[in-house]
Amino acid sequence: MTHHSMQICAWSGLLSSLCIAAPALANTSSPFNPPEEELGVYVVNSGSGLDTGCTFRSGGPLIISLEVPAIVNPNAIGSDGYLKDAPALVSNGVLGAQAVMRFPVYDIDSGANVSGIQPEVDKISFNGTFKKNLSGVNNQWTDDAIIIPIEEVKFGQTNEIRIDIDTANTSESWCMAVDWVSLEFDVSAPYVLAHGINADASSWDAGSAPGVLETLDNTGVLYTRFSVTANGRSAGNAAQLEQNIQAFLDSIKSKKVHVIAHSKGGLDTQELKARAPSFEILSLSTLSTPHLGSVAADLSIIQKAEVDNRVNQGNDPNGFAATYINSWTFGQGPQLPGLRDLTTGRASEAISLNLRGNIGKTFTIGANADANGNNDLESSESAGLFPGVAHYAAERAWRVMRDFSSAPILQTQTTPCFFCLGGEKTTLIYQTIVAATPQDNDIVVTTNSANPTSYGTSLGNSLHNHSTVKNAVNVDQFLQKTIPLR
């Protein structure tokens, strides 16, 4: 027993050196299992200062290094690893005010009563700040813990735990050991920004999404963004998202993530959920995502079909649908094959297959481009939508979105034609279905489609178009809802 080692050293100074060199008498592992590492839980279970056997003062101090990843916004961390403004992060709900450090220690004779020998006094410090004297029981493991203010934790760097052994005695009398160390604290899960169709990660830059990145930075959350295939199908984009998000989360030992998505990015993310990734999507926040599809996509599919005739068997009282289909777009806007995921038909199919509405915490915001409410679309209201698209094209799309609920393709017919290329003529028959009432929309998605009543929590609609809906005010609404989720 350790106190026997102490007595041998005390009774015979000739044997004191043997105490220093003596083999460990302690167990090398405690009966206490360390917690599993995950976001906000970081563990060191091997290396310097750990499992050293019962170590005397000459074998110390024990120096244990514990690395905590940079799991908050890089702008919130100083060059020394400490938080620049810890109270602000705590106030924003990004971090808890305190961390708990656990560390099983062996054979702490803090209550010993031996003549001529002081009880064991082992001093523990965290990043150079003295925390307390250890306490425990002879020849037993103690599952000890200390509260660490979050401002004393280094992020993205190594934290040092130091234990000075048996500081109350001039001769070596007591020894001790540490099995492992963990540090646990509350922290918001990181965020991923998912872009829409015919776009990439740069669509979240200040020029296209004013104030969004600045809002995320100021809040202090950790976030990243990835580019997936610009006009790819949701199934393929979901696979790309899964791979990218997994690598990102692995780097910070997180198993949870929030996603803020624009337009088709919300559909890609729900297909990602259907893939049952190994990480948890804590929340999905969508900006003008066509959850229920878009009639503009229906008509664009018809427009892009290589046929000789397009026959409408539905209503088109003002000829807006025909004008939309027969107009040139010069390659602007969403393209195939991803465009198919935006149609109203695909929306119904995807919902039935549980490819949409499958993320419990879904928050939605739609947009109405008719900001002044005059039942017309002015050039200032379409500005910034798609680079290179003239206002007249945006106005045309806004009108079909307002007046039609869907435009399904009924059938495609092929008939002999002597004068036609290949000797036959192809006719596409479709149907435009007039909406029961005019639909508010952002030129691409109606507010009803952006805020489905069948799932999700609507945070309302903003007076913006499909591009300018990506703004600081809307993203801040999402952060207020999602940061508290753990």
Side-chain angles (χ1 to χ4, degrees), residues 246-266:
Q246 186 67 68
F248 167 59
L249 296 182
D250 286 347
S251 70
I252 57 172
K253 301 178 181 178
S254 176
K255 298 177 182 178
K256 301 177 181 179
V257 69
H258 296 289
V259 179
I260 297 176
H262 175 237
S263 191
K264 182 174 170 289

Side-chain angles (χ1 to χ4, degrees), residues 232-239 264 267-268 271-272 338 341 346 356:
R233 294 299 302 266
S234 286
N237 285 359
K264 182 174 170 289
L267 308 183
D268 296 347
E271 293 230 9
L272 164 61
D341 289 311
R346 175 56 182 167
R356 296 185 193 175

Side-chain angles (χ1 to χ4, degrees), residues 368-374 376-377 381 463-464:
N368 179 9
D370 185 16
N372 61 15
N374 67 350
D376 197 5
L377 188 73
E381 296 169 330
L463 297 176
H464 293 91

Side-chain angles (χ1 to χ4, degrees), residues 300-449:
S300 293
I301 292 288
I302 297 167
Q303 179 189 60
K304 294 176 183 298
E306 296 181 0
V307 296
D308 300 294
N309 292 320
R310 297 173 177 82
V311 177
N312 184 6
Q313 292 188 350
N315 295 320
D316 187 6
N318 300 304
F320 292 151
T323 300
Y324 185 95
I325 287 174
N326 295 324
S327 299
W328 291 97
T329 62
F330 302 102
Q332 298 289 333
Q335 304 295 318
L336 293 168
L339 181 63
R340 296 192 185 281
D341 289 311
L342 308 185
T343 63
T344 58
R346 175 56 182 167
S348 298
E349 179 185 40
I351 290 172
S352 68
L353 294 173
N354 199 36
L355 299 176
R356 296 185 193 175
N358 53 9
I359 298 175
K361 296 296 183 180
T362 296
F363 302 96
T364 65
I365 291 179
N368 179 9
D370 185 16
N372 61 15
N374 67 350
N375 200 33
D376 197 5
L377 188 73
E378 300 176 2
S379 58
S380 60
E381 296 169 330
S382 67
L385 182 54
F386 298 120
V389 175
H391 171 65
Y392 75 87
E395 185 178 17
R396 188 171 62 237
W398 176 78
R399 291 190 183 281
V400 297
M401 292 298 308
R402 180 192 62 180
D403 293 347
F404 300 99
S405 60
S406 64
I409 295 174
L410 302 179
Q411 60 179 309
T412 301
Q413 295 179 341
T414 302
T415 56
C417 175
F418 181 77
F419 298 103
C420 298
L421 182 65
E424 60 184 19
K425 178 174 66 175
T426 301
T427 299
L428 186 150
I429 300 174
Y430 67 97
Q431 181 182 40
T432 49
I433 299 176
V434 178
T437 58
Q439 303 178 113
D440 291 337
N441 68 88
D442 63 5
I443 308 175
V444 178
V445 179
T446 64
T447 55
N448 290 335
S449 182

Side-chain angles (χ1 to χ4, degrees), residues 29 32 57 77 107 125 165 332 438 485:
S29 61
F32 307 106
R57 183 174 63 236
I77 304 173
D107 192 22
S125 302
I165 303 170
Q332 298 289 333
L485 300 178

